[in-house]
Amino acid sequence: MRGTVLYGPRDIRFEERDAPTIVKPTDAIIRMAATCVCGSDLWPYRGINPVPQPTPMGHEYCGIVEEVGPAVTSIKRGQFVIGSFFASDNTCPNCQAGYQSSCQRAEFVGTAQAPLLRVPLADGTLVATPDVPPPDMVPSLLALSDVMGTGWFAADAANVKPAKTVAVVGDGAVGLLGVLSAQQMGAERIIAMSRHESRLKLAREFGATDIVTERGDEGVARIRELTGGIGADSVLECVGTQEAMTQAIRSARKGGYVGFVGLPHGVQLDGQELFYAHVHLHGGPAPVRRFLPQLIDLVWNEKIRPGKVFDLTLPLDQVAEAYRAMDQRRAIKTLLRP
Ligand SMILES: [Zn+2]
């Protein structure tokens, strides 16, 4: 089998690798219907996270179960399944609390940019769709594996409710799907922060009612202006930089909520500022597994189409171009077909 391997900064190769096999009795092997490149894959790709050795890539996946280990009981061969980037047993106390990405037995699923994938803890990790989906639904189901689940968690953590005002920091795929999530949760006003035409168009399609093109302190000032000087009830931080986090905290009203899902890079919080900000902070790696049944239902019944964030589709063997296009911001998110 050929799969994706990152060798170092901007050095992505599609090369021969061992095909995965059942290692533990709770494993499943799935044949990929589609996979994709994540914004977080760009951190090591750009050399911001070191790559000490050649590293297989990819953590977003959906496909058909090809084989299951002898201890797997609920997941069956032939099912179309979706799972999260963290395998989870879905039974431990952390899973039961809805934090499957902090499962006591969590394992990162990180070799998905390949035609075949081993998924640990298959019964806890994978959720099957009602049937094998039509091909045009696959991108939206794939989006649930990470970006849509992460955008949804950002909105959930930020306590988005009907009639509330929501601000979204970040116009990547997660931010855009944070807009869609807020819209689904009934927010009245959704302020998207972006200055890119194609992203703004999609943000509006997903339910953004206002656009703020300013960043940093100017962006904060603009949010305050739009909310009568108060700030937003809920702010979704979908970037992970110091600027974005500061902007998110400062854009929230007193007693407001910040849901943060951007993978933090060099983010430091000032205790004094946090003390007087009077905000609820909740975030982390999204417990996508918690939301999968509900999100599959929304996609299956054509209530949402999160697959619209894929504005470039390539064959899997052109994965290097997929990374380049996202690195250069020519694409919001690239879907890869084996
Ligand atoms: Zn668990």
Side-chain angles (χ1 to χ4, degrees):
M1 160 186 107
R2 287 199 301 159
T4 305
V5 181
L6 178 64
Y7 273 76
R10 296 186 167 79
D11 184 2
I12 279 280
R13 302 183 201 174
F14 191 67
E15 62 175 25
E16 202 55 37
R17 248 169 50 192
D18 288 339
T21 53
I22 299 286
V23 177
K24 292 184 189 166
T26 46
D27 289 348
I29 304 293
I30 70 170
R31 181 165 291 279
M32 211 62 69
T35 180
C36 53
V37 180
C38 182
S40 68
D41 292 333
L42 297 180
W43 293 107
Y45 179 77
R46 288 169 172 160
I48 296 164
N49 290 359
V51 184
Q53 74 241 347
T55 307
M57 295 294 287
H59 57 265
E60 293 165 89
Y61 58 94
C62 63
I64 302 277
V65 178
E66 185 136 300
E67 194 184 346
V68 295
V72 175
T73 56
S74 62
I75 293 298
K76 312 274 181 225
R77 200 166 175 269
Q79 281 180 324
F80 188 96
V81 291
I82 306 162
S84 155
F85 45 91
F86 273 119
S88 55
D89 58 15
N90 214 28
T91 55
C92 78
N94 293 345
C95 285
Q96 291 291 296
Y99 289 84
Q100 289 90 340
S101 41
S102 281
C103 175
Q104 290 178 328
R105 296 166 71 196
E107 277 184 60
F108 188 67
V109 182
T111 61
Q113 287 160 3
L116 291 166
L117 174 69
R118 181 179 81 91
V119 181
L121 302 167
D123 280 333
T125 305
L126 297 171
V127 180
T129 54
D131 205 339
V132 174
D136 65 345
M137 194 181 276
V138 169
S140 285
L141 292 171
L142 172 66
L144 306 185
S145 178
D146 180 358
V147 270
M148 181 64 198
T150 296
W152 191 272
F153 176 55
D156 184 81
N159 194 43
V160 175
K161 294 269 193 295
K164 298 285 186 187
T165 295
V166 179
V168 180
V169 181
D171 64 0
V174 172
L176 292 167
L177 291 173
V179 169
L180 177 62
S181 301
Q183 185 264 339
Q184 284 291 308
M185 293 177 190
E188 182 175 292
R189 210 161 165 200
I190 304 170
I191 306 166
M193 310 188 81
S194 175
R195 51 178 71 179
H196 293 87
E197 211 41 62
S198 62
R199 292 165 193 246
L200 287 177
K201 189 167 162 280
L202 198 50
R204 285 203 186 277
E205 247 182 274
F206 283 155
T209 55
D210 300 82
I211 303 292
V212 167
T213 54
E214 293 86 349
R215 285 188 193 174
D217 289 343
E218 283 174 32
V220 173
R222 195 73 192 102
I223 300 272
R224 297 211 163 265
E225 212 176 291
L226 287 168
T227 53
I230 299 296
D233 300 305
S234 301
V235 185
L236 281 53
E237 191 288 307
C238 307
V239 184
T241 60
Q242 181 72 56
E243 184 188 46
M245 191 66 172
T246 304
Q247 192 174 319
I249 292 169
R250 292 182 183 168
S251 299
R253 66 178 297 155
K254 300 301 171 193
Y257 291 75
V258 174
F260 62 103
V261 296
L263 192 60
H265 282 77
V267 177
Q268 303 272 338
L269 299 182
D270 175 69
Q272 186 96 352
E273 177 170 354
L274 201 53
F275 188 75
Y276 289 105
H278 255 157
V279 295
H280 301 73
L281 279 183
H282 185 193
V288 171
R289 175 65 183 81
R290 188 205 313 173
F291 307 118
L292 275 178
Q294 182 185 1
L295 294 178
I296 288 173
D297 199 57
L298 286 171
V299 169
W300 200 262
N301 293 300
E302 298 180 346
K303 306 273 190 232
I304 57 171
R305 283 188 59 202
K308 284 183 185 170
V309 292
F310 296 109
D311 55 349
L312 178 65
T313 296
L314 292 172
L316 181 56
D317 61 6
Q318 288 178 37
V319 61
E321 169 56 16
Y323 275 79
R324 267 197 301 276
M326 283 175 63
D327 179 35
Q328 297 165 359
R329 284 177 78 91
R330 283 185 278 121
I332 299 172
K333 194 165 174 73
T334 312
L335 185 136
L336 295 161
R337 291 202 183 270

